[in-house]
Amino acid sequence: MPLFAGLDLGTTHTKLVVLDEKGKLLHQAKSSYTKGTTTELDPQEIRDLAENLMLDSFSVIGTSDTVLYLSLSAAMHSLMLVDEKATPLTSLSTWADTSSLLLVNQYKQDPRVRTLVSETGTPFHPMTPLAKLWHLRLSNPALLSSAFKCVGIKEYIWHHFTGAWETDCSTASATGMYDPLRADWHPLGLELTGVKKEQLPVVKPVEWMRKESRFQMEGLQLLPVLGGSDGCLAQIGSKAMQRGTASLTIGTSGAIRVVQSAFKADPDSGLFSYQLDATHFVCGGPTNNGGIVLQWWEEEIMGKSAPLGMLLDSFEQEAASVVPGCEGLVCLPYFGGERAPVWDAGASGMFAGVRFQHRQAHFKRALVEGICFIFRQILERIEKVYGPVHRIVASGGFTKSKWWVQVMSDVLERTIDVGEEDADASALGAIAIAMKAAGCLNEWTELEAQLPFGYHSISPNDLNRTIYRNQYQEFLRLCQF
């Protein structure tokens, strides 16, 4: 009986989920990173943790006459340089790296950049490998030219497992250098960055599979499947592949996305359009400011030190004690700059309407409400460009807080469905890719029957939605500053 594993390489930890062919959860585990920062990580630590998670899983699932399809999911926009022996020449730069901010501001309106954005579907922002490599070409050309490969964490781990330098089209789409219509690296992206095509990984379909891996254990046949980017795979894993269904994810950062059947870039560059396969494009907007805002407030403003789960539990208890609307206090939570829809890495956060009656708990609730207002703003843009959204499915760490999901529902004025299965949506999406590679799925929508877990729904409170409708107008006013 074949087994299916999804390995999700995130920005704070790596997760592994293993299912059998009937969708039964056999094993899940995660390991958090101890090295690096929000903007830079240690790729060798991630490699070692990923390998250890795999080895540990074998003791649980067994290796006797086992065929295991292993599919990868990874956070988008990461970048590192390696030599011919796959030894890192740099740390791993994450989506939060803003070292190219000045370059982005200088060239944002350049006709070449506008052409790239319209033809790749990726907004021009410091998060992108396009901006990072262009900046590196200007700041350290010798380092760039000496690199054997310019890759992200996905390609580094894939090479460790298979010995091949390959990437999938969904991950390539997020670089700002991939042309989905050509199904290849964009010549203009190569020109602006000074990178040679042979320095980049070969782009393959998400279900691309290798027949051999570097994991050799008696009785185990491990078949690596390329998989995709975490955002695109969360769409699959949330079972949000029908037109008009949005997938909303909040972890460290966040995003909301829909699926289109053809490539269509946002004419105002406010949203992304990433290719999943020939007939599915995942379109939407990301925010820098998800759970990391709450963590920052507790650790840096409140001076608390405790495991993250405990910090966020105490945060929720205090924030939930305040009435919706925070008695007029509004937060623009751009504390880490912002991506969609403003795409301004230099943006900063603010509170407005501060009065004597406001206590610490008011500021905490205003942070959560402000994050939810960001999602309403992105959702409105999605519906303007890609059509109405009839259903929203939530995933990510914020779904562990029923209170936060309720606030999101009230702000969006939409019912939100939350999966009853505790497994990570991106890892489940990776497993769906593996199932398709193995011939167990023909269409992404068949995952509904293959993974028969249900949902519980949270609907908006009529009184709260009215409060938030007025509060949202103040949020939009703050966005103009």
Side-chain angles (χ1 to χ4, degrees):
M1 181 176 71
L3 303 180
F4 302 92
L7 183 67
D8 180 48
L9 309 163
T11 54
T12 57
H13 49 257
T14 288
K15 294 161 281 190
L16 178 70
V17 177
V18 184
L19 306 182
D20 66 16
E21 63 179 345
K22 296 181 180 180
K24 180 182 178 181
L25 178 64
L26 301 179
H27 176 70
Q28 65 175 328
K30 71 177 182 179
S31 293
S32 299
Y33 309 145
T34 61
K35 302 176 182 178
T37 64
T38 304
T39 60
E40 290 187 350
L41 297 173
D42 182 344
Q44 292 171 311
E45 180 189 29
I46 299 174
R47 178 200 64 196
D48 293 344
L49 290 176
E51 185 170 317
N52 289 338
L53 283 172
M54 288 299 304
L55 293 174
D56 290 346
S57 73
F58 297 156
S59 64
V60 177
I61 64 177
T63 58
S64 178
D65 298 322
T66 300
V67 178
L68 177 64
Y69 293 86
L70 170 66
S71 178
L72 303 187
S73 163
M76 294 175 280
H77 317 302
S78 65
L79 179 69
M80 60 185 291
L81 308 186
V82 298
D83 65 16
E84 292 188 45
K85 296 181 179 179
T87 303
L89 300 175
T90 66
S91 60
L92 180 74
S93 169
T94 74
W95 61 267
D97 175 24
T98 59
S99 58
S100 61
L101 176 58
L102 293 178
L103 180 143
V104 168
N105 289 339
Q106 180 179 353
Y107 289 99
K108 188 178 296 185
Q109 300 303 323
D110 188 294
R112 297 169 299 174
V113 169
R114 296 183 69 83
T115 296
L116 260 183
V117 170
S118 66
E119 295 183 3
T120 64
T122 305
F124 188 51
H125 185 271
M127 69 178 184
T128 62
L130 167 68
K132 295 169 185 171
L133 288 169
W134 190 350
H135 172 69
L136 190 59
R137 191 200 89 190
L138 298 177
S139 62
N140 198 341
L143 175 60
L144 183 59
S145 62
S146 70
F148 178 64
K149 294 291 181 182
C150 306
V151 297
I153 191 59
K154 170 82 173 290
E155 298 76 41
Y156 179 67
I157 301 300
W158 178 256
H159 179 269
H160 179 65
F161 286 166
T162 69
W165 290 111
E166 296 166 330
T167 192
D168 68 277
C169 55
S170 69
T171 303
S173 283
T175 64
M177 299 174 63
Y178 178 76
D179 184 343
L181 300 183
R182 288 189 179 96
D184 202 356
W185 300 110
H186 199 296
L188 192 51
L190 300 177
E191 176 189 328
L192 293 176
T193 59
V195 172
K196 299 175 183 177
K197 186 176 177 180
E198 53 267 28
Q199 287 180 286
L200 298 175
V202 178
V203 183
K204 298 287 188 180
V206 291
E207 59 264 45
W208 175 256
M209 181 169 62
R210 287 277 175 180
K211 298 296 185 181
E212 296 180 352
S213 79
R214 292 181 173 179
F215 278 104
Q216 299 293 333
M217 296 188 69
E218 185 176 354
L220 172 70
Q221 183 183 11
L222 181 63
L223 299 175
V225 180
L226 194 49
S229 68
D230 59 351
C232 289
L233 298 192
Q235 197 79 21
I236 301 174
S238 298
K239 302 179 185 177
M241 294 300 289
Q242 299 85 358
R243 187 173 179 85
T245 299
S247 168
L248 190 160
T249 305
I250 302 180
T252 304
S253 55
I256 182 168
R257 324 163 194 86
V258 294
V259 173
Q260 297 290 297
S261 59
F263 177 72
K264 179 183 178 182
D266 181 354
D268 294 328
S269 306
L271 304 172
F272 59 69
S273 180
Y274 297 149
Q275 182 181 34
L276 176 60
D277 59 27
T279 57
H280 295 89
F281 292 80
V282 178
C283 310
T287 173
N288 289 358
N289 301 288
I292 194 172
V293 173
L294 280 58
Q295 182 180 359
W296 164 75
W297 187 270
E298 289 294 88
E299 293 180 346
E300 303 301 330
I301 305 302
M302 299 298 296
K304 294 183 178 180
S305 179
L308 181 58
M310 292 179 61
L311 286 177
L312 297 185
D313 285 346
S314 66
F315 186 103
E316 177 183 329
Q317 289 175 11
E318 289 189 63
S321 70
V322 175
V323 296
C326 300
E327 298 181 76
L329 182 65
V330 182
C331 176
L332 184 68
Y334 291 172
F335 300 106
E338 189 52 296
R339 289 183 282 176
V342 298
W343 296 102
D344 183 0
S348 57
M350 69 174 75
F351 290 92
V354 184
R355 303 292 297 271
F356 281 141
Q357 71 263 30
H358 292 131
R359 299 173 288 105
Q360 188 65 240
H362 288 82
F363 287 89
K364 291 184 176 183
R365 184 174 187 116
L367 286 170
V368 172
E369 292 178 349
I371 293 170
C372 295
F373 289 142
I374 290 173
F375 277 89
R376 176 161 180 159
Q377 192 177 21
I378 299 173
L379 177 60
E380 289 177 351
R381 181 67 193 171
I382 286 174
E383 293 193 306
K384 181 177 180 180
V385 177
Y386 298 113
V389 169
H390 306 295
R391 181 185 179 219
I392 298 175
V393 183
S395 64
F398 98 111
T399 60
K400 291 180 170 57
S401 168
K402 184 177 180 181
W403 170 77
W404 192 350
V405 179
Q406 181 66 63
V407 175
M408 182 68 76
S409 173
D410 293 344
V411 168
L412 298 185
E413 300 188 57
R414 309 290 181 96
T415 296
I416 296 178
D417 293 337
V418 179
E420 293 176 351
E421 185 61 68
D422 192 37
D424 178 79
S426 296
L428 290 176
I431 287 173
I433 299 280
M435 288 179 167
K436 193 171 184 183
C440 298
L441 291 180
N442 292 314
E443 300 293 336
W444 301 123
T445 51
E446 294 175 11
L447 188 65
E448 191 80 35
Q450 200 75 23
L451 302 181
F453 61 82
Y455 298 89
H456 64 269
S457 298
I458 295 179
S459 298
N461 177 288
D462 287 339
L463 177 60
N464 293 349
R465 70 200 297 177
T466 301
I467 294 171
Y468 287 135
R469 196 179 299 162
N470 296 329
Q471 200 91 332
Y472 178 59
Q473 297 307 310
E474 179 62 14
F475 172 86
L476 292 177
R477 186 187 69 79
L478 295 178
C479 291
Q480 305 307 312
F481 283 88

